[in-house]
């Protein structure tokens, strides 16, 4: 018999019982194996055996705006850091989304269907290959190679060309006759990781991207009356701008004020760049997952910069590049600058990691490292919400290299909560409830599957959007509310510090938040991210004795959401009573809230706010008897 009088044994017994009571998260076999292999750890940090492959790219392309022909070469030095011997290399040919016969889940008009990427030459270690060495299928290309051992490098040289889409603008293409946003424009090595090996998922349009952190050097040749903006630092400013504009770019990089680098008059005079037949713009970007660029011969350019890291004085330049016909875009520079400031100092309160961020007036709503392709809107609130959402993606998936092909919620959910919080910072009249109503209307239906369902398995647009945007964002918001800003920031910073420049999986996030906060939050992760269910709270009882009120709230549904009771008094005043999701931590189905009214008369009590989705609002109001 155990001697329970021994305090040391009692402590051991209690600790053991507590550990058994802790919720554990279900995990797939291939993800569990990462712990066995030592590439990841159950406290969320990368394991001692963690690895990821890397590449250096030298891209040289020319683009003809009249024909939309993009032709070039790419040299790739690829390093195998994995413990495996590679006998073939997977490449991504993302422009093949527009190729005839490719599988797509977004509409491409017949006029934009092309022959895809034309591979004219491929060499391995300076040895030219025949087309028998490679196989192109959709947006994937596999290339047979001599066995590549751990720690070895291989060099590829590829000559290629394709025609950029004029319409069917899916994140890239022609914007107008003198403006183009060009992304995914070169063959790149696919990710080979410790979970799946090669990323074999085809780019179909809806699901987004998963790329390795690489070093890119790009030389982009365009007609002399075009300017270029791109991921990375422009390394030959004095070659592509006349002295006046080279100085303006430099001034903007160092100044807090907004600088008009290119005005309507400058476009008219046409003396911005040397008037050669073609100018070649050179960019350098290190430790990024992608590179994109945009060109125009008639856009205006407003620019400013700010200190994003007060410890080092490091600055980020922010650019708005736009068609002057879009009047609302004149204010985008201010929204963008305030977003970078808010991200650095308020949420997520992490110094903005890159030297510049360019918001380009395009036809989409899409993010790239240091670049944003944003359509114009008429209402300032819409411009604000789109601008901060896309810029917030800088952290997720670019600084944190998540696999957004499989786990769209690991980046879109963060951009959504970033939008909700930062829009209000930019303009306190904005209450941004983007997509919450969508989830509330669909919660509990057949398409409402767990967030942890792979994005590649979501054939319904409704489930894809709800799982990627509002549902995870609400989960992040509820944890932030429960932990409080200080502890939440500490936990989130732990996650960022462990995984920036790497490839975190969902459990790395969950475990880092647990470790960083010092709390086991699995009860919430399991309910909100892994399980089906509906959010549904109800006011089931209200009693009062003199000035003391007791309100019983019942969790009719199965999803934990905060309790927000608004008390309306007959004199027109109100009182908010709030309890975080911690109210449901123990699995209880009811929660009791108490408040004192002084001498005021209660008219009614309502349950919920805009961030508390509820499938049945009919039982969320209690009316006092007259």
């Amino acid at each position: 018999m155990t001697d329970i009088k021994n305090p040391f044994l009692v402590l051991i017994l209690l600790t053991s019982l507590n550990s058994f009571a802790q919720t554990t998260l279900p995990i797939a076999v291939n993800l569990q194996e990462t712990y066995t292999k030592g590439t990841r750890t159950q406290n969320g940090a990368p394991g001692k055996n963690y690895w990821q492959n890397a590449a250096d790219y030298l891209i040289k392309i020319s683009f003809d705006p009249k024909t939309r022909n993009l032709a070039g070469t790419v040299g790739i030095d690829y390093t195998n850091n994995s413990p495996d011997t590679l006998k073939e290399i997977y490449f991504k040919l993302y422009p093949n989304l527009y190729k005839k016969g490719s599988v797509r889940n977004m509409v491409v008009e017949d006029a934009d269907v092309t022959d895809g990427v034309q591979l004219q030459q491929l060499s391995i270690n300076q040895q030219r290959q025949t087309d028998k060495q490679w196989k192109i299928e959709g947006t994937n290309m596999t290339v047979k190679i001599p066995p590549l051992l751990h720690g070895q490098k291989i060099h590829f040289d590829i000559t290629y060309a394709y025609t950029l889409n004029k319409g069917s603008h899916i994140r890239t293409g022609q914007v107008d006759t003198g403006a183009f946003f060009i992304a995914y424009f070169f063959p790149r090595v696919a990710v080979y990781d410790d979970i799946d090996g090669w990323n074999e998922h085809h780019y179909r349009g809806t699901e987004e991207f998963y790329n390795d952190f690489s070093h890119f050097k790009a030389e982009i040749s365009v007609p002399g009356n075009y300017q270029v903006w791109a991921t990375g630092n422009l390394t030959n400013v004095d070659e592509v701008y006349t002295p006046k504009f080279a100085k303006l770019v430099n001034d903007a990089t160092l100044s807090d004020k907004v600088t008009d680098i290119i005005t309507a008059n400058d476009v008219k005079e046409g003396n911005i760049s040397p008037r050669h037949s073609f100018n070649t713009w050179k960019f350098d970007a290190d430790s990024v997952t992608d590179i994109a660029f945009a060109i125009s011969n008639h856009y205006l350019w407003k620019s400013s910069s700010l200190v994003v890291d007060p410890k080092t004085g490091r600055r980020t330049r922010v650019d708005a590049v736009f068609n002057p016909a879009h009047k609302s875009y004149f204010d985008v520079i201010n929204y963008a600058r305030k977003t970078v400031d808010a991200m650095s100092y308020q949420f997520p309160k992490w110094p903005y990691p890159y030297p510049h961020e360019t918001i380009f007036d395009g036809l989409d709503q899409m993010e790239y490292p240091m670049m944003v392709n944003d359509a114009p809107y008429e209402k300032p609130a819409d411009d604000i919400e789109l601008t901060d959402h896309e810029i917030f993606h800088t952290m997720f998936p670019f600084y944190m290299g998540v696999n957004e092909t499989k786990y769209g919620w690991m980046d879109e959910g963060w951009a959504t909560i970033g939008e909700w919080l930062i829009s209000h910072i930019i303009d306190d009249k904005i209450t941004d409830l983007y997509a919450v109503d969508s989830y509330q209307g669909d919660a509990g239906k057949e398409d409402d599957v767990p967030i942890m369902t792979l994005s590649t398995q979501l054939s319904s647009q409704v489930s894809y959007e709800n799982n990627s945007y509002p549902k995870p964002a609400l989960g992040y918001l509820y944890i932030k509310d429960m932990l409080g800003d200080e502890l939440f920031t500490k936990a989130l910073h732990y996650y960022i510090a462990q995984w920036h420049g790497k490839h975190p999986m969902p459990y790395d996030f969950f475990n880092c938040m647990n470790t960083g906060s010092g709390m086991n939050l699995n009860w919430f992760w399991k309910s909100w991210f892994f399980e089906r269910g509906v959010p549904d709270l109800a006011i089931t009882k209200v009693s009062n004795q003199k000035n003391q009120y007791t309100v019983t709230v019942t969790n009719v549904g199965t999803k934990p959401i905060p309790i927000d009771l608004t008390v309306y008094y007959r004199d027109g005043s109100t009182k908010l009573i709030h309890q975080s999701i911690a109210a449901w931590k123990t699995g209880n189905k009811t929660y009791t809230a108490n408040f004192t009214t002084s001498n005021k008369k209660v008219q009614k009590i309502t349950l919920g706010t805009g961030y508390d989705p509820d499938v049945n609002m009919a039982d969320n109001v209690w009316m006092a008897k007259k």
Side-chain angles (χ1 to χ4, degrees), residues 59 98 139 196 217 258 296 303 321 348 409 517 567 570-571 599:
I59 305 166
Y98 292 90
T139 57
D196 297 319
K217 288 186 176 182
V258 175
S296 177
S303 186
V321 181
W409 59 271
S517 67
V567 181
R570 295 190 185 276
D571 65 2
N599 294 318

Side-chain angles (χ1 to χ4, degrees), residues 25 452 475-476 479 509-511 513-514 519-531:
L25 301 179
M452 282 293 291
Y476 304 148
I479 287 291
F509 164 68
F510 298 135
N511 292 332
M513 292 298 289
N514 290 353
M519 299 174 63
N520 189 316
L521 305 170
N522 286 350
W523 68 274
F524 178 74
W525 304 135
K526 187 171 187 290
S527 175
W528 195 260
F529 287 81
F530 288 79
E531 297 177 345

Side-chain angles (χ1 to χ4, degrees), residues 26-37:
I27 185 170
V29 171
N30 59 318
L31 304 184
Q32 178 69 47
E33 287 175 352
T34 64
Y35 302 137
T36 304
K37 293 186 292 188

Side-chain angles (χ1 to χ4, degrees), residues 97-119:
L97 177 70
Y98 292 90
K99 183 178 180 180
K100 182 180 180 180
S102 288
V103 176
R104 291 182 286 269
N105 54 21
M106 297 184 76
V107 175
V108 171
E109 300 294 336
D110 289 344
D112 292 304
V113 174
T114 69
D115 293 327
V117 176
Q118 300 299 299
L119 215 64

Side-chain angles (χ1 to χ4, degrees), residues 103-238:
V103 176
R104 291 182 286 269
N105 54 21
M106 297 184 76
V107 175
V108 171
E109 300 294 336
D110 289 344
D112 292 304
V113 174
T114 69
D115 293 327
V117 176
Q118 300 299 299
L119 215 64
Q120 296 159 354
Q121 182 178 326
L122 188 152
S123 297
I124 298 176
N125 295 332
Q126 285 76 49
Q127 298 296 312
R128 185 166 181 169
Q129 308 294 302
T130 69
D131 58 9
K132 294 181 180 180
Q133 292 298 113
W134 66 81
K135 179 181 178 182
I136 298 175
E137 186 176 10
T139 57
N140 286 346
M141 176 174 72
T142 54
V143 179
K144 298 176 183 178
I145 62 169
L148 186 66
L149 305 180
H150 166 76
Q152 289 186 340
K153 289 186 177 182
I154 190 170
H155 181 81
F156 296 94
D157 287 300
I158 301 172
T159 303
Y160 70 102
Y162 74 95
T163 301
L164 184 73
N165 52 297
K166 182 177 182 179
S168 307
H169 191 108
I170 302 174
R171 306 185 180 98
T172 184
Q174 179 171 321
V175 178
D176 62 34
T177 55
F180 303 79
F181 197 99
I182 303 174
Y184 326 119
F185 62 94
F186 59 95
R188 75 195 71 200
V189 181
V191 174
Y192 185 84
D193 66 20
D194 62 319
I195 296 173
D196 297 319
W198 289 113
N199 170 25
E200 298 183 21
H201 292 289
H202 288 273
Y203 173 41
R204 304 184 299 174
T206 298
E207 303 88 5
E208 296 183 10
F209 305 95
Y210 183 37
N211 296 311
D212 269 323
F213 289 88
S214 300
H215 180 200
F216 295 97
K217 288 186 176 182
E219 298 182 8
I220 301 165
S221 296
V222 295
N225 61 330
Y226 277 82
Q227 282 72 52
V228 181
W229 298 265
T231 302
N233 294 314
L234 178 62
T235 60
N236 64 332
V237 175
D238 294 332

Side-chain angles (χ1 to χ4, degrees), residues 20 88 98 110 199 241 253 311 381 400 434 437 476-477 491 533 626:
F20 280 114
E88 62 181 2
Y98 292 90
D110 289 344
N199 170 25
Y241 288 116
T253 303
K311 292 181 180 179
M400 308 287 290
Y434 170 66
D437 283 349
Y476 304 148
L477 188 68
K626 295 183 179 178

Side-chain angles (χ1 to χ4, degrees), residues 291-505:
I291 182 171
F293 71 97
I295 71 171
S296 177
N297 62 5
H298 64 101
Y299 273 23
L300 309 188
W301 181 6
K302 288 180 176 288
S303 186
S304 182
S305 69
L306 65 153
V307 173
V308 294
D309 187 350
K311 292 181 180 179
T312 64
R314 182 172 60 80
R315 303 180 72 91
T316 290
R317 193 189 76 234
V318 183
D319 305 315
V321 181
F322 58 97
N323 187 331
H326 300 148
K327 301 302 181 184
S328 67
Y329 237 96
F330 281 83
D331 292 323
V332 166
I333 184 63
N334 299 314
Y335 310 148
R337 192 180 191 282
K338 289 176 181 177
T339 298
V340 172
D341 182 85
M343 289 177 64
S344 300
Y345 296 102
Q346 292 176 267
F347 182 78
K349 209 171 182 177
W350 188 277
Y352 203 77
Y354 299 119
H356 79 83
E357 183 69 37
T358 300
I359 296 82
F360 189 83
D361 179 1
L363 292 174
D364 215 305
Q365 305 172 16
M366 188 61 192
E367 70 283 352
Y368 315 82
M370 305 180 220
M371 298 287 289
V372 167
N373 178 9
D374 274 356
Y377 286 93
E378 294 182 0
K379 296 179 181 178
D382 292 335
D383 277 327
I384 290 170
E385 293 166 12
L386 177 59
T387 300
D388 57 34
H389 180 105
E390 302 306 341
I391 294 177
F392 202 90
H393 274 299
T394 293
M395 296 297 297
F396 309 89
F398 300 132
Y399 194 60
M400 308 287 290
V402 301
N403 184 345
E404 54 180 339
T405 305
K406 290 173 63 176
Y407 315 114
W409 59 271
M410 290 188 74
D411 77 301
E412 293 296 355
W414 284 111
T416 301
I417 184 179
E419 173 189 332
W420 291 346
L421 298 175
I422 293 175
S423 294
H424 187 72
I425 293 171
I426 295 173
D427 182 346
D428 61 11
K429 297 186 293 298
I430 293 177
T431 300
D432 189 338
L433 298 170
Y434 170 66
V436 178
D437 283 349
S438 172
Y439 169 52
Q440 179 170 282
D442 295 316
K445 297 179 180 178
E446 288 178 306
D447 280 344
D448 183 25
V449 296
I451 296 172
M452 282 293 291
T453 307
L454 296 183
S455 299
T456 51
Q457 297 174 348
L458 299 174
S459 58
S460 161
Q461 191 67 20
V462 169
S463 56
Y464 181 87
E465 292 184 358
N466 283 334
N467 273 18
S468 298
Y469 296 85
K471 288 169 66 178
L474 288 168
Y476 304 148
L477 188 68
Y478 296 161
I479 287 291
K480 181 176 184 291
D481 173 49
M482 185 183 74
L483 296 180
D485 286 349
E486 184 176 351
L487 186 55
F488 176 83
T489 300
K490 177 184 176 184
L492 180 57
H493 282 193
Y494 179 78
Y495 171 51
I496 295 173
Q498 295 297 320
W499 286 99
H500 73 80
K502 301 181 179 70
H503 295 309
M505 67 176 181

Side-chain angles (χ1 to χ4, degrees), residues 62-71 180 221-223 226 278 295:
S62 62
F63 178 71
D64 184 346
K66 292 181 180 179
T67 63
R68 305 189 316 280
N69 183 67
L70 185 148
F180 303 79
S221 296
V222 295
Y226 277 82
F278 277 79
I295 71 171

